[in-house]
Amino acid sequence: MVTGASRGIGAATARLLAGQGYRLGLMSRCGCEELAAELDAWDFAGTLTNESDVEEFIAGAIAKFGRLDAVVVSTGRYASIIQNLDVAPARRPNTARLGFDPDFKPDIFAIPREAWHDALDLLVLGTVSVARFATPHLLESGGGAIVAVSGMEAAEPRLRYLLGPVRSALHGFARLYSDRYAAMGIRMNCVLPGMLANAVAESDLELLRSIPMARAGQPEEIAETIAFLVSPASSYITGQLLRADGGLNRGLS
Ligand SMILES: NC(=O)c1ccc[n+]([C@@H]2O[C@H](COP(=O)([O-])OP(=O)(O)OC[C@H]3O[C@@H](n4cnc5c(N)ncnc54)[C@H](OP(=O)(O)O)[C@@H]3O)[C@@H](O)[C@H]2O)c1
């Protein structure tokens, strides 16, 4: 199952997994009709912030395919989470890399309470709901893997990414989940993408220069990382945060 599958990382992952022989259930708010037709997948329109949508999505996919082996949660771009909120736009860093910028002092209390709630609801509780309804089916299959797509701003919080701490809560959940279900054969890991071409303009040379690889990543490269983490090739990896960011962040998590 892939959530957030209509575009970006989710769509790239769905294409890659379908090519590897997975039969897929796809979810996004608008649905993934075209992609589902292309991949002969099952498509469900619903939001991750509504638990009954998540339950219906998973039940429908099980009714169609009979078993569950892998779950990818790739929902909601950061910018779209904060776009309607009254949060002062982050000033561009003037340091060579996206590290700590001593001149950048936004007021963290400008983040309204609703913004924290919305981000927690989508990025953390949405993933918890998916795990809640997927787990019985993964257990029935004898095990499986969950990958949550997160972001680099959590492992190394910066004021520039105001809602980054919310990702840390997701990572905490992933670690608890992996503790609980590792012995039952279910692994859970997070992928932390850096800056991707679907979010950063190729013309933004200043930003791209801050990446050691000097280029934005492609959603397809993140899809490869996700496919590794749901595959038996990563059978001894669980509870981890895996950065796929062109070398941007290298500290301990
Ligand atoms: N792209 C990057 O540079 C980058 C970097 C770091 C981290 N990330 C993270 O990676 C994840 C995916 O990013 P992306 O670039 O692939 O984003 P994207 O291209 O904007 O795609 C987001 C997907 O999530 C779906 N979605 C949004 N809200 C939803 C909801 N409430 N319920 C169900 N589906 C929902 C969207 O479809 P609908 O609109 O139809 O719902 C779409 O399929 C996000 O968590 C993002 O923050 C991305």
Side-chain angles (χ1 to χ4, degrees):
M1 290 168 187
V2 182
T3 75
S6 62
R7 56 178 185 271
I9 298 168
T13 303
R15 285 201 171 89
L16 182 64
L17 294 180
Q20 294 178 351
Y22 284 87
R23 304 208 61 200
L24 295 169
L26 309 177
M27 179 190 188
S28 81
R29 286 168 304 180
C30 305
C32 314
E33 216 173 311
E34 264 180 45
L35 187 63
E38 177 190 325
L39 305 180
D40 193 20
W42 186 73
D43 170 41
F44 181 83
T47 174
L48 226 63
T49 55
N50 182 346
E51 199 155 66
S52 62
D53 280 2
V54 175
E55 187 175 16
E56 210 179 313
F57 165 56
I58 293 180
I62 290 293
K64 181 149 175 76
F65 299 123
R67 62 177 284 134
L68 180 60
D69 301 288
V71 179
V72 179
V73 184
S74 180
T75 296
R77 187 182 292 171
Y78 179 86
S80 69
I81 294 163
I82 60 167
Q83 70 188 350
N84 295 320
L85 303 168
D86 187 20
V87 176
R91 193 169 63 72
R92 300 300 301 278
N94 58 8
T95 44
R97 297 189 56 180
L98 281 177
F100 175 68
D101 177 355
D103 298 327
F104 179 53
K105 294 189 172 65
D107 186 356
I108 198 160
F109 299 115
I111 305 172
R113 193 180 170 83
E114 307 79 60
W116 290 105
H117 273 291
D118 286 353
L120 278 165
D121 201 19
L122 181 63
L123 298 176
V124 183
L125 299 180
T127 307
V128 173
S129 297
V130 172
R132 186 195 306 283
F133 292 107
T135 298
H137 301 293
L138 292 169
L139 289 173
E140 238 170 75
S141 302
I146 301 177
V147 174
V149 181
S150 180
M152 61 182 180
E153 68 273 13
E156 302 187 38
R158 299 177 172 102
L159 285 172
R160 184 161 184 268
Y161 298 98
L162 292 173
L163 296 181
V166 171
R167 304 272 204 201
S168 302
L170 172 65
H171 299 168
F173 172 74
R175 285 167 163 152
L176 284 179
Y177 183 96
S178 58
D179 282 355
R180 174 72 180 85
Y181 288 101
M184 294 177 216
I186 310 177
R187 299 178 296 107
M188 181 167 185
N189 293 288
C190 296
V191 171
L192 281 55
M195 287 181 277
L196 305 187
N198 67 340
V200 180
E202 285 302 316
S203 56
D204 199 339
L205 296 177
E206 189 200 350
L207 201 57
L208 296 178
R209 262 203 304 269
S210 68
I211 306 169
M213 283 192 186
R215 66 172 178 86
Q218 296 297 330
E220 289 73 18
E221 294 179 283
I222 307 302
E224 293 282 359
T225 308
I226 294 169
F228 164 67
L229 286 174
V230 298
S231 79
S234 62
S235 56
Y236 204 51
I237 300 177
T238 193
Q240 302 300 315
L241 312 177
L242 181 52
R243 295 182 184 86
D245 63 5
L248 193 55
N249 295 290
R250 288 164 300 187
L252 295 171
S253 53

